[in-house]
Amino acid sequence: MGCDGGTIPKRHELVKGPKKVEKVDKNAELAARWKYCALSTEKLRRPIVACDLGRLYNKDAVIEYLLDKSADRPNSEVASHLRGIKDIKELNLTDNPAWEGERRNTKGDRYEDMHCAMFICPVVGLEMNGKHRFCFLQTCGCVFSDRALKEVKTEICHKCGDPFKDENLVVLNGTKEEVEKLREKMEGKRAKAKATKKSKKNKVAETVAKPSDSKENPESTETVSSEGQTSTRNGGDSSQPAVPGPPASSSTKVVTPSAATGSKRSIQTMEEKSETYKSLFTSHSSAKRTKDQTSNWVTHTPYHF
């Protein structure tokens, strides 16, 4: 079992100590979070979207996930909070002029800067490579660095000019504590939207039920007698005394003042319409000529001798 041929084993070859904890390269971790999709683990390409927790995705990958959630995916837990296309926001990113693309070092004879990012902050010019804190606005989707928002304090977007509030800011690829805060904010927002939707449904049901109740139990009606006197009949006790009049019978008609005025107006408008329609024809009185307007026809036959 070894040790033949005069070999002398060392202590670390014979005694097995505790395994060392593997350290993750920070540059590789930053590149995985800021240059690759969190769902499909593919390189980020436009259109790029972000969720309420600040994770970056390719839009086509999210759509495929929403269409078929039953498919086995390695990172399906990352997007488990996504219910629909409304839970993501397309980002309005600013291209980095120093970014040469993926084919800049095809031969392998050039230095490749791992910290060079595809996008930058449009205000300060910081690269979006994970070394600096970046945020996006839920209203318009524009992306800015945290330094730019602190140095230039305003309530209007620096890029598109849309107004926003501090509540609309979402940190991109934040720490665990920031992600937990964003999760609580997202759940509270969803609960509030659900409550408002439920209250709207209740209001619609109440408005639908009120007209049916008014038809079954009319509150007040007015009866018109032959002498022109009106008497009100209320469902409950009335504070004003009733106007004396003849007893109501089966022949009395119940007429409301709004209905009477509406019928008069409708009759008047119908007469005006018929009058204007008749005036289009020559048989109408307005088209006929009076005696003064008519002329006498005189025929003259000239004779040339």
Side-chain angles (χ1 to χ4, degrees):
M1 296 296 292
C3 295
D4 53 347
T7 57
I8 302 173
K10 295 182 180 179
R11 185 179 183 278
H12 72 274
E13 294 176 354
L14 300 175
V15 180
K16 294 182 179 180
K19 292 184 178 181
K20 295 181 180 180
V21 180
E22 295 181 358
K23 294 182 179 180
V24 181
D25 187 10
K26 292 184 178 180
N27 295 332
E29 185 180 3
L30 292 175
R33 296 176 67 184
W34 290 90
K35 293 183 180 181
Y36 293 87
C37 174
L39 181 60
S40 63
T41 65
E42 296 178 356
K43 285 191 176 182
L44 290 173
R45 58 182 181 275
R46 293 179 183 272
I48 300 172
V49 296
C51 63
D52 293 334
L53 302 182
R55 293 168 183 163
L56 299 173
Y57 311 92
N58 288 327
K59 192 173 183 179
D60 54 354
V62 177
I63 292 173
E64 289 177 3
Y65 168 76
L66 294 174
L67 291 175
D68 186 12
K69 292 184 179 181
S70 61
D72 294 334
R73 290 182 175 84
N75 296 333
S76 58
E77 298 177 356
V78 177
S80 59
H81 61 284
L82 298 178
R83 304 173 301 175
I85 201 70
K86 292 182 180 180
D87 294 336
I88 57 175
K89 183 68 178 179
E90 187 172 346
L91 300 180
N92 186 9
L93 297 164
T94 305
D95 294 328
N96 185 7
W99 174 258
E100 298 180 2
E102 299 176 356
R103 298 180 180 180
R104 58 180 177 174
N105 194 16
T106 54
K107 296 181 180 180
D109 56 350
R110 295 177 60 185
Y111 170 72
E112 185 176 0
D113 189 5
M114 296 293 295
H115 301 297
C116 186
M118 293 185 291
F119 310 106
I120 60 172
C121 174
V123 180
V124 185
L126 296 175
E127 294 184 355
M128 201 172 74
N129 52 11
K131 286 191 172 184
H132 308 283
R133 196 164 177 261
F134 273 75
C135 307
F136 80 94
L137 303 178
Q138 290 180 327
T139 54
C140 57
C142 296
V143 181
F144 302 98
S145 62
D146 190 35
R147 186 188 298 180
L149 295 173
K150 288 181 179 179
E151 291 181 358
V152 186
K153 294 183 179 180
T154 180
E155 295 180 354
I156 300 175
C157 178
H158 299 290
K159 194 170 183 180
C160 62
D162 291 343
F164 71 93
K165 298 180 181 179
D166 294 338
E167 301 174 355
N168 305 129
L169 290 172
V170 178
V171 182
L172 290 172
N173 290 328
T175 59
K176 293 182 179 180
E177 297 176 356
E178 291 174 343
V179 171
E180 289 297 326
K181 290 181 180 179
L182 291 173
R183 191 181 294 276
E184 293 176 0
K185 181 182 175 182
M186 178 186 68
E187 292 176 355
K189 186 179 178 181
R190 289 181 178 179
K192 187 178 179 180
K194 190 175 181 180
T196 53
K197 189 176 181 180
K198 190 175 181 180
S199 63
K200 285 181 180 179
K201 286 184 178 180
N202 294 334
K203 287 180 180 180
V204 171
E206 289 177 1
T207 53
V208 171
K210 281 182 180 179
S212 60
D213 295 340
S214 62
K215 288 179 181 179
E216 293 176 358
N217 300 319
E219 294 181 358
S220 62
T221 56
E222 293 184 358
T223 58
V224 181
S225 63
S226 60
E227 297 178 359
Q229 297 176 348
T230 60
S231 62
T232 59
R233 292 182 296 172
N234 298 325
D237 296 335
S238 61
S239 59
Q240 298 180 357
V243 179
S249 61
S250 60
S251 61
T252 57
K253 296 181 179 179
V254 179
V255 180
T256 58
S258 60
T261 54
S263 60
K264 289 180 180 179
R265 290 177 181 175
S266 62
I267 292 168
Q268 188 176 0
T269 53
M270 287 176 65
E271 290 178 354
E272 290 177 356
K273 288 181 179 179
S274 61
E275 192 67 25
T276 54
Y277 181 72
K278 290 177 181 178
S279 63
L280 298 174
F281 300 95
T282 56
S283 60
H284 192 255
S285 60
S286 61
K288 294 180 180 179
R289 296 182 178 181
T290 60
K291 292 182 178 180
D292 298 335
Q293 292 177 348
T294 56
S295 59
N296 297 324
W297 292 91
V298 178
T299 58
H300 178 69
T301 307
Y303 295 96
H304 299 280
F305 297 98

